[in-house]
Amino acid sequence: MNGRVLFLVLASGLGWGLAAAAQQAEFRKFGNLVFAEVDGPELLLDLYLPQASKPPPLIVYVHGGAWRTGSKDSMPLTALLGEGYAIASVDYRHTPEAPFPAQVHDIKAAIRFLRGNQSRYPYDGRKVAIAGSSAGGHLAALVGVTNHSAELEGFVGPHLDQSSEVDAIVAYFGASNLLTMLHQSTPRALSVRKPALRRLLGGQPEQRRQLAMLASPVFHVDRSDPPLLLLHGDQDQQMPINQSHELHGKFKSLGLPVAFQVLHGAAHDGKVFYDEARTRVVSSFLASFGI
C-alpha cells in the first residue's frame, strides 16, 4: 500500500495512551519495494515516512522468527514515526531458503539500496540506525558491529557502490554469542533454539565453531562500532538475558557508548517493549547521538 495513511496503532503493540495521542499523525507507506533479487526471488521492504519539515533520520527494522519465519509486515516500531523517524522494515532470506550468512548479506543490501535511493524518498540516508527484535535483534546487532567486514558484506543487490554502515544499533532481546546461548537457555528454550541454530549454521554451534563465531556479535566488537541500546526482559524464557549482558559487557570493556534497559518482569517480546516509555528511551538514545 502506497500513499498517505492515518497513524492508527491499534495493531502495533503500543500502549493505548500513546495510540490516542498518535491518531492525528499521518505517514506515507511505500510497500513492497524490491531492493534485490537473489536467484530469482525478490527481496522486499516497506518504507514508512512521517510528516516532516526536513528529511528525517532512518531506522532499518529487522523482524524476528528464529531466523526461519517472520515478515516485514510485523513492524512494531510505528510509534517512532511520531518521534520523527522514517522506518524501513526489511525482509531477508530465512534459513529454509539459505543458511547464514545470507541473512546478513540481505540486510546489508537493503541498507545499500536505501542509501542509493534516498534522492527518491524524503529521508536522510546519512543518519541510519538499525533495530531488530529476537532473531532480528541478533541480526541487527551483527550488522551494526560489522560495518567494515568484507566477509559479511556480500554481493547482494545492485547498489554495491553504497555503504551499508549504520550509525546506531537498537537490539531487542536478541542473541549475541551463539557459543554460549544454549548453555544459558532453559529446557523450554532449548527445544526451539537447537533446531533453529542447526538450520542457521548447518549444525550446532560447537560443531560449527568458526561459523558460530562469525555469526556472534560479541566476537566482532571493536572501537569503531556505533552506539548500542539493548532492551531485554529479565523473565525471558526464550532468549537468555545473559546474551544481552555479554554484548553490554563487551561494549563497556572497550569504552564504547552503550545503554542497557532491563525490563523487570517482562518475558520474550510483548507490548511493554514498544510502549510510550520505551519509545521515548529509543528516541532519546538515538537523538543523543544526532540520529
Side-chain angles (χ1 to χ4, degrees):
M1 178 178 181
N2 297 339
R4 184 168 291 177
V5 182
L6 183 64
F7 185 4
L8 292 172
V9 294
L10 302 185
S12 68
L14 304 175
W16 287 101
L18 184 59
Q23 282 182 352
Q24 299 306 312
E26 291 184 342
F27 63 86
R28 288 177 293 166
K29 178 181 177 181
F30 296 87
N32 295 323
L33 301 180
V34 179
F35 68 85
E37 294 184 17
V38 183
D39 299 326
E42 296 176 334
L43 294 172
L44 307 175
L45 63 82
D46 292 339
L47 179 62
Y48 302 79
L49 297 173
Q51 292 268 344
S53 59
K54 62 180 181 179
L58 177 66
I59 298 173
V60 176
Y61 178 73
V62 186
H63 68 78
W67 304 290
R68 62 182 177 81
T69 62
S71 164
K72 63 180 174 54
D73 298 335
S74 301
M75 199 285 287
L77 305 184
T78 316
L80 284 165
L81 292 165
E83 298 293 319
Y85 291 93
I87 300 174
S89 183
V90 305
D91 272 340
Y92 53 88
R93 283 172 289 170
H94 295 140
T95 50
E97 306 165 70
F100 180 84
Q103 298 71 32
V104 174
H105 291 171
D106 295 351
I107 296 163
K108 287 179 179 281
I111 296 168
R112 294 194 299 265
F113 168 88
L114 289 160
R115 282 220 168 88
N117 284 276
Q118 61 184 311
S119 62
R120 298 179 58 187
Y121 303 101
Y123 57 79
D124 189 348
R126 298 169 302 173
K127 299 178 179 180
V128 179
I130 190 165
S133 306
S134 194
H138 158 255
L139 293 172
L142 186 57
V143 168
V145 298
T146 57
N147 272 342
H148 308 291
S149 171
E151 192 169 8
L152 290 178
E153 188 67 30
F155 298 95
V156 175
H159 294 278
L160 297 175
D161 60 322
Q162 297 293 323
S163 171
S164 67
E165 295 187 15
V166 299
D167 304 297
I169 309 163
V170 181
Y172 296 85
F173 43 90
S176 71
N177 185 345
L178 302 190
L179 291 175
T180 61
M181 186 175 74
L182 294 180
H183 300 292
Q184 298 165 356
S185 296
T186 64
R188 175 186 173 187
L190 287 174
S191 66
V192 175
R193 296 303 165 196
K194 280 189 171 182
L197 286 170
R198 184 171 62 250
R199 294 186 190 97
L200 182 71
L201 303 174
Q204 293 304 319
E206 62 271 17
Q207 300 166 328
R208 306 279 288 171
R209 187 176 180 85
Q210 291 302 313
L211 190 61
M213 292 176 67
L214 183 66
S216 297
V218 293
F219 294 110
H220 296 276
V221 178
D222 61 37
R223 296 186 188 278
S224 69
D225 286 331
L228 168 68
L229 171 62
L230 297 152
L231 301 96
H232 212 128
D234 67 356
Q235 298 303 309
D236 193 329
Q237 298 297 307
Q238 295 188 47
M239 181 59 65
I241 193 172
N242 279 347
Q243 288 290 293
S244 287
H245 280 301
E246 285 195 46
L247 192 54
H248 179 237
K250 187 69 174 181
F251 265 65
K252 284 184 67 68
S253 71
L254 294 177
L256 295 169
V258 60
F260 185 10
Q261 181 160 108
V262 177
L263 280 70
H264 299 288
H268 192 72
D269 211 343
K271 293 180 179 180
V272 66
F273 286 94
Y274 315 109
D275 65 10
E276 184 173 7
R278 255 50 64 177
T279 295
R280 288 174 177 167
V281 167
V282 174
S283 62
S284 296
F285 178 82
L286 295 178
S288 69
F289 295 101
I291 303 169

